[in-house]
Amino acid sequence: MSDFSGMEDLLQDFLVEAGDLLSGVDNKLVDLERAPNDTGLLNDIFRGFHTIKGGAGFLNAAELVTLCHLTENLFDKLRNGELEITPEVMDVILSSTGAVRDMFGYLEQGVQPGAADPHLIENLRLAIAGSLSHEVAAQPAPEPVRAAAPLRAVAAAPAPVAPSATEPDWNVLFETVTGTAVAAPTPAGVPSAPVVMHQSDDELAHKSPEQIIKAAVGRRVTDKPGASGPVGRRDSEKQRDNSIRVDTARLDQVLNLSGEIGLTKNRLNALRSDILNGRNDTETLHALDLAVSQLDLLVSDLQNAVMKTRMQPIGRLFQKYPRIARDLARNLGKDVELVLSGEETEIDKTMIEDLSDPIIHLIRNAVDHGVEETQERLANGKPEKSNVRLEARQEGDHIVILVADDGRGMNAERLRAKAVEKGLITDEEANTMDERQSFNLVFLPGFSMASQISDVSGRGVGMDVVRTNIQKLNGSIEIRSSMGKGTTFIISLPLTLAILPVLLVRLGEQPFAVPLSMVREILPIEPAEVQEVGGRATMVVRGEVLPIMPLSSLLGWDPVQTPEYGVLMQSAEQSFILAIDSFAGREDAVIKSLDDFRPKGVAGVTTLSNGQIVLILDMKELLGALGDSRGGVSRRALLAAMDVPALAA
């Protein structure tokens, strides 16, 4: 049962508002470290803690109130000039914000948070008194206090359980957590040793210590630098935030357009009645044409207005990253500043949560491995402070996100050698790779340039997951790097996931849709230009040899006619020519997902203006189904499919 029964709405409102406030406080603390005498920042941070404390008071979260109150008192003295900001004081403040965020995690689960780490509370009191020294602040912290519901009832202790060789001693762990020894079996009528239990968990009285411990253990606590959000929650426990904040001006626009559409509908109904009653004169038909045109315009405007309600400033995603970069850099002994740009750029709300982890990984890689050590930077004539840039901008119908560092850059030759050493590619493949293809090796599963395993990151460790997550959003990622100057990761995403620009292609009379973002150009396929290279049918386009992939082969269909056209398609990994029978032009497809049944290689479906249902193809999945994404069909098979027997012989 939740500790906030009857207060669920108030709790959710508090978590949303307080979460934004705390993220803002984190960013202001990073700025404050660079400008410790900025009274505006000090006042803003003070007000942030004061507001969080007030909301926590309404929820009766006493331990959260205590922590915020102490931190608020510390900032009151800092802003009044009674104390000065030192690295030790700043570390204590940042630890306090981390503890507040952990408490938010308990509140999300409907549980009152327990007391904060006593070591943190003591350090806050010492900082307020001006007695915090480096030695005191650096003392190891005791095990943090776990959150738990109030302990009220008393029940009999369960029978002891003998530990096995592969399990922990649950009896000892039970005694450690509850402070009560596990009683041995006692005769009837003899009371057993008491054990403290939750009032709502009386049924646990007859369970083993193992079962009780597993039910009682709270959230895991971590102090790794760069950890973001509530920690200790399993993936299965994470819930997506389905709420969205919408500017009232946008809602007013939707309302106005809805009213205009209603008026146009009434006009169409009146014209319909006139026509059914025999009025077919030129004036009536002209009025009908105008009404239909107006309805078409209004529906288009309404669609755009509704789509804009899904758009959110990407700054809400970016605001947590300065703290992550700061903590990691300080832990590694580096001086790194995360520079944000384009925070006002808007992106589809459904993408924000899916982008969080990939960007965190790229930032950690940049700070940990992209940026050199201070001594190395100075030796190379670089400033001691390094910059990592996180930028967002809109380019046409795409959002571009950059994660760039001014570090040592990536060595294409070393990347190829490492991939060969790990058996990921052959020597022959390495010799044919250009610089772009060499950089893309970091996206191969299991690839890493790190000489030692790091618990933070490694250039390439997990990069395959980053690329996979970006591709799930119908996006792409590209690497540009220059030795000694730095590395830039470029993420390109569609503006929205609800509408996808597609190119309609045909096999016979059957249309299919392919993402327009992958299409570079449409070419005629001339049999004389088809050459066989390595057993594969290819064409030379502006000096580049490209494999030909017939759409019929990708789908496993028998060719119904000669492929006359090729669509030059390009992804982050490769370029190829998709052989098709014909094409029907471009369209903005409203995607309908296939939740219950999703055939392999199908991203979704859309409906054309004539009512025909068309499959939207997932080209990456179709290519992966071939088993060799760099493969193709032979020239003989392709020419045979093109009905050119003389050349196929």
Side-chain angles (χ1 to χ4, degrees), residues 436 439-440 443 476-480 488-492 572:
R436 180 180 66 86
F439 292 156
N440 286 338
F443 295 123
S476 62
I477 182 169
E478 178 186 354
I479 304 174
R480 295 177 185 172
T488 301
F489 288 86
I490 305 171
I491 300 172
S492 179

Side-chain angles (χ1 to χ4, degrees), residues 144-356:
V145 177
R146 309 287 185 181
L151 305 178
R152 303 183 183 95
V154 174
V161 177
S164 69
T166 59
E167 291 186 347
D169 190 328
W170 293 105
N171 294 330
V172 173
L173 187 56
F174 179 84
E175 295 172 12
T176 303
V177 173
T178 64
T180 306
V182 178
T186 53
V190 180
S192 59
V195 56
V196 180
M197 302 292 290
H198 295 289
Q199 187 174 13
S200 60
D201 294 338
D202 288 340
E203 67 273 9
L204 295 181
H206 302 291
K207 295 186 177 182
S208 69
E210 174 184 354
Q211 293 170 314
I212 295 175
I213 294 300
K214 288 183 176 179
V217 168
R219 296 162 59 90
R220 182 172 53 85
V221 176
T222 178
D223 56 358
K224 289 184 179 179
S228 62
V231 295
R233 301 177 66 181
R234 296 185 299 272
D235 290 341
S236 60
E237 295 174 337
K238 294 181 181 178
Q239 295 182 352
R240 297 182 66 92
D241 180 12
N242 293 322
S243 62
I244 188 170
R245 296 184 181 184
V246 182
D247 190 332
T248 54
R250 292 185 174 179
L251 291 178
D252 289 341
Q253 184 183 11
V254 171
L255 184 61
N256 291 335
L257 288 169
S258 300
E260 293 289 337
I261 289 174
L263 294 175
T264 305
K265 182 198 72 171
N266 294 338
R267 176 61 175 157
L268 285 171
N269 284 334
L271 290 169
R272 176 177 176 271
S273 298
D274 290 343
I275 293 173
L276 291 176
N277 291 329
R279 289 188 57 184
N280 296 324
D281 57 278
T282 304
E283 183 179 350
T284 300
L285 295 178
H286 180 64
L288 176 63
D289 183 61
L290 288 177
V292 171
S293 298
Q294 184 179 10
L295 181 63
D296 180 64
L297 180 62
L298 288 172
V299 169
S300 177
D301 289 345
L302 179 62
Q303 185 183 48
N304 291 333
V306 171
M307 293 309 304
K308 286 183 179 179
T309 63
R310 295 164 56 101
M311 307 297 283
Q312 298 285 289
I314 203 168
R316 296 182 180 178
L317 174 66
F318 282 6
Q319 64 182 358
K320 65 180 178 181
Y321 297 132
R323 168 69 185 272
I324 293 173
R326 180 266 177 199
D327 287 353
L328 179 57
R330 182 168 173 80
N331 182 66
L332 297 172
K334 297 180 179 180
D335 189 359
V336 179
E337 179 178 356
L338 181 64
V339 181
L340 303 181
S341 178
E343 297 165 88
E344 70 285 351
T345 304
E346 292 189 330
I347 190 171
D348 194 310
K349 169 65 168 62
T350 57
M351 294 187 187
I352 289 181
E353 291 187 24
D354 293 324
L355 278 175
S356 178

Side-chain angles (χ1 to χ4, degrees), residues 41-254:
L41 285 174
L42 288 167
N43 285 325
D44 287 346
I45 298 170
F46 172 85
R47 284 192 292 269
F49 276 103
H50 182 75
T51 304
I52 294 173
K53 182 184 77 171
F58 278 109
L59 296 171
N60 298 319
E63 300 300 343
L64 179 55
V65 170
T66 299
L67 180 57
C68 288
H69 182 69
L70 286 172
T71 312
E72 178 188 23
N73 288 347
L74 176 56
F75 270 98
D76 191 41
K77 291 204 169 188
L78 289 171
R79 68 175 185 164
N80 291 331
E82 299 177 38
L83 294 174
E84 292 185 356
I85 293 180
T86 64
E88 292 75 28
V89 169
M90 184 58 70
D91 285 343
V92 171
I93 293 170
L94 290 170
S95 296
S96 177
T97 63
V100 170
R101 194 176 296 280
D102 287 343
M103 290 185 175
F104 285 175
Y106 288 110
L107 294 174
E108 289 175 1
Q109 297 180 347
V111 177
Q112 285 284 11
D117 182 350
H119 182 70
L120 171 59
I121 297 296
E122 179 62 21
N123 280 347
L124 280 171
R125 297 187 189 279
L126 290 173
I128 293 171
S131 305
L132 183 66
S133 64
H134 175 74
E135 291 75 15
V136 172
Q139 288 178 1
E143 183 69 19
V145 177
R146 309 287 185 181
L151 305 178
R152 303 183 183 95
V154 174
V161 177
S164 69
T166 59
E167 291 186 347
D169 190 328
W170 293 105
N171 294 330
V172 173
L173 187 56
F174 179 84
E175 295 172 12
T176 303
V177 173
T178 64
T180 306
V182 178
T186 53
V190 180
S192 59
V195 56
V196 180
M197 302 292 290
H198 295 289
Q199 187 174 13
S200 60
D201 294 338
D202 288 340
E203 67 273 9
L204 295 181
H206 302 291
K207 295 186 177 182
S208 69
E210 174 184 354
Q211 293 170 314
I212 295 175
I213 294 300
K214 288 183 176 179
V217 168
R219 296 162 59 90
R220 182 172 53 85
V221 176
T222 178
D223 56 358
K224 289 184 179 179
S228 62
V231 295
R233 301 177 66 181
R234 296 185 299 272
D235 290 341
S236 60
E237 295 174 337
K238 294 181 181 178
Q239 295 182 352
R240 297 182 66 92
D241 180 12
N242 293 322
S243 62
I244 188 170
R245 296 184 181 184
V246 182
D247 190 332
T248 54
R250 292 185 174 179
L251 291 178
D252 289 341
Q253 184 183 11
V254 171

Side-chain angles (χ1 to χ4, degrees), residues 388-399:
V388 174
R389 181 164 53 95
L390 178 58
E391 177 184 343
R393 62 174 182 264
Q394 182 175 341
E395 291 184 358
D397 59 352
H398 277 70
I399 297 294

Side-chain angles (χ1 to χ4, degrees), residues 10 262 325:
L10 179 61

